[in-house]
Amino acid sequence: MKKLFTILGCIALFAFSTTNVKAQNYKTGLGLGIDFGDGATLVGPSIRHHFSRNAALQGEVLFGGSATFLQAFLQYNSAIPGAKGLDWFVGGGPSVGLGNGNSAFYLVPMAGLDYKFDGAPLALALDWRPRIYIGDNNSGSLPGRFGLGFRYTF
């Protein structure tokens, strides 16, 4: 667990220290986020905002499985050479599940692709986001989770 926090901390420092001034595919995207795979499917509003070419923050409020999940992810992203509009990203952050009088805290690392359609204000993202349960045991960890995002960009 300590290694995971160290890795995520290094990614965050690298993302915020970047000085690359090339324009990103879009500044802000607002739309629908879907978190699916092991466990319940979660759906709700999602926002992704680029602070620089290589740093973005994504937030989601998702509903499903009799619970509400609040999630925030810091992401490092970069263009894929020769694939206009396509970026890869890595990152992660916390996820808090609230429901049935209980709460659960997860750490969610992620890796994925983000595509901005040329000539249209639309972006599509797909990522792998395993959930690591932070608590007394690891019985709540879910390795087979994925995210899908449909966003209007501006």
Side-chain angles (χ1 to χ4, degrees):
M1 187 59 67
K2 202 174 195 181
K3 287 182 184 180
L4 185 59
F5 282 119
T6 302
I7 291 169
L8 288 176
C10 289
I11 291 170
L13 285 174
F14 183 72
F16 282 124
S17 67
T18 184
T19 57
N20 190 348
V21 294
K22 287 197 274 183
Q24 64 274 2
N25 290 327
Y26 60 94
K27 185 75 171 174
T28 302
L30 181 62
L32 181 69
I34 303 170
D35 189 312
F36 62 97
D38 291 346
T41 297
L42 308 171
V43 179
S46 174
I47 187 168
R48 186 170 196 235
H49 179 75
H50 293 261
F51 293 99
S52 71
R53 171 63 184 110
N54 297 109
L57 184 63
Q58 179 175 322
E60 298 177 332
V61 179
L62 303 177
F63 307 94
S66 302
T68 300
F69 284 82
L70 306 171
Q71 305 185 133
F73 307 119
L74 179 62
Q75 300 166 340
Y76 172 83
N77 54 279
S78 185
I80 296 176
K84 186 177 179 183
L86 186 61
D87 285 1
W88 61 269
F89 62 89
V90 295
S95 175
V96 178
L98 308 167
N100 297 328
N102 297 321
S103 62
F105 184 77
Y106 298 89
L107 185 58
V108 182
M110 63 178 16
L113 298 171
D114 186 63
Y115 180 71
K116 165 67 173 74
F117 291 91
D118 189 28
L122 301 173
L124 176 66
L126 177 65
D127 56 68
W128 175 54
R129 52 172 75 174
R131 290 183 181 279
I132 302 167
Y133 177 72
I134 307 296
D136 294 337
N137 59 43
N138 255 352
S139 63
S141 293
L142 301 168
R145 297 292 298 176
F146 300 91
L148 187 59
F150 301 96
R151 296 187 188 94
Y152 175 81
T153 62
F154 44 98

